[in-house]
């Protein structure tokens, strides 16, 4: 048997282990986002994403992007379902695969006055609309001097999704992120990788440390929640016995962040978070090395989806 055959056998065995792990959890989606994505688009929607329309450069942009990916920000039923702003607006664009049960009509639509999400704007009617592309300016002014965008975003969080009242710094960061989005005529999607998620975890934790140093505990706590959510997204993709070590490392990293969320105002918080950052580089390397065995690999995910659909 030559080395190519050995490699193929090992690869097939890895896929088999992933499938077995999935079968044990057949009562829930492999990946949480499958609950609100059009089944016909699962593979493409779960392995690719729109090219980012903004390059994260300044600190407020990093914060805004992290919050955009944080279910805790929305609160209510959306947070319980794992939905964040990016669920409908992939990298600030629309999401043609979004299809939440009883909230969407055809894929790419959502009823923004659904009583399921809002006790304020629910109108007892099913009237889904096409999800807008935020890179294309709409009716809401985006000029920085009138704060119309901040007011609009506040309404979405508090009224459309029953979220908690956001602090001014939260609104400012989100508005800054939305204002930075640029229209891109190139609609090519790029591969969704664990590296992009790991980088986002690093950035969110780094931003949380800076916010705490500025005595903004609320924003720091939200940023740690964002990092933990991203770790959760990675965890669900690392299924199978061969990835047990990696899953354990992810869980450990998340639990430590959770403990720091609870003690965010305690003495030594900065030192603990800085130590976490150093430790996470080892975890990051460990996880990156096994991406090819995870559900980030389109071939592995395709095989698993085919198994679970039968």
């Amino acid at each position: 048997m030559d080395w190519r055959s050995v490699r193929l056998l090992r690869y097939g065995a890895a896929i088999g282990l992933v499938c077995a792990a999935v079968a044990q959890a057949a009562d829930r989606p492999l990946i949480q986002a499958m609950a609100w994505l059009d089944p016909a688009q699962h593979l493409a929607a779960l392995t690719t994403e729109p090219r980012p329309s903004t390059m994260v450069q300044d600190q407020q942009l990093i914060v805004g992007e992290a919050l955009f990916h944080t279910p805790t920000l929305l609160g209510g039923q959306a947070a319980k379902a794992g939905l964040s702003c990016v669920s409908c607006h992939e990298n600030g664009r629309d999401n043609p695969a979004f299809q939440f049960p009883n909230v969407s009509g055809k894929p790419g639509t959502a009823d923004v006055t659904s009583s399921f999400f809002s006790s304020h704007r629910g109108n007892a009617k099913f009237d889904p609309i096409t999800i807008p592309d935020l890179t294309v300016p709409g009716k809401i002014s985006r000029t920085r001097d009138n704060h119309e965008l901040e007011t609009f975003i506040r309404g979405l969080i508090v009224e459309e999704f029953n979220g908690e009242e956001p602090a001014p710094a939260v609104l400012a960061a989100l508005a800054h992120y939305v204002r930075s989005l640029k229209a891109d005529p190139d609609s090519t999607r790029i591969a969704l990788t664990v590296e992009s998620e790991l980088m986002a975890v690093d950035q969110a934790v780094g931003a949380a440390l800076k916010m705490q140093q500025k005595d903004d505990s609320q924003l720091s706590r939200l940023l740690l929640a964002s990092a933990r959510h991203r770790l959760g997204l990675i965890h669900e993709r690392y299924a199978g016995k061969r990835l047990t070590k990696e899953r354990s490392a992810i869980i450990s990293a998340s639990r430590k962040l959770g403990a720091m969320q609870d003690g965010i105002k305690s003495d030594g918080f900065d030192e603990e978070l800085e130590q976490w950052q150093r430790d996470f580089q080892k975890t990051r390397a460990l996880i990156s090395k096994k991406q090819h065995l995870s559900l980030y690999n389109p071939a592995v995910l395709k095989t698993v989806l085919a198994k679970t659909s039968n």
Side-chain angles (χ1 to χ4, degrees), residues 43-90:
L43 184 61
L46 293 170
T47 58
T48 64
E49 62 179 346
R51 191 194 316 276
S53 64
T54 181
M55 295 301 292
V56 174
Q57 296 174 341
D58 61 78
Q59 187 64 29
Q60 192 175 40
L61 205 56
I62 290 173
V63 172
E65 184 178 39
L67 295 175
F68 201 77
H69 286 73
T70 308
T72 307
L73 176 74
L74 299 181
Q77 294 299 325
K80 290 179 182 178
L83 290 172
S84 63
C85 301
V86 79
S87 302
C88 287
H89 305 283
E90 289 187 292

Side-chain angles (χ1 to χ4, degrees), residues 20-38:
V22 168
Q24 292 176 1
D27 59 331
R28 60 181 176 81
L30 311 176
I31 297 170
Q32 190 177 33
M34 290 173 64
W36 62 76
L37 292 173
D38 173 22

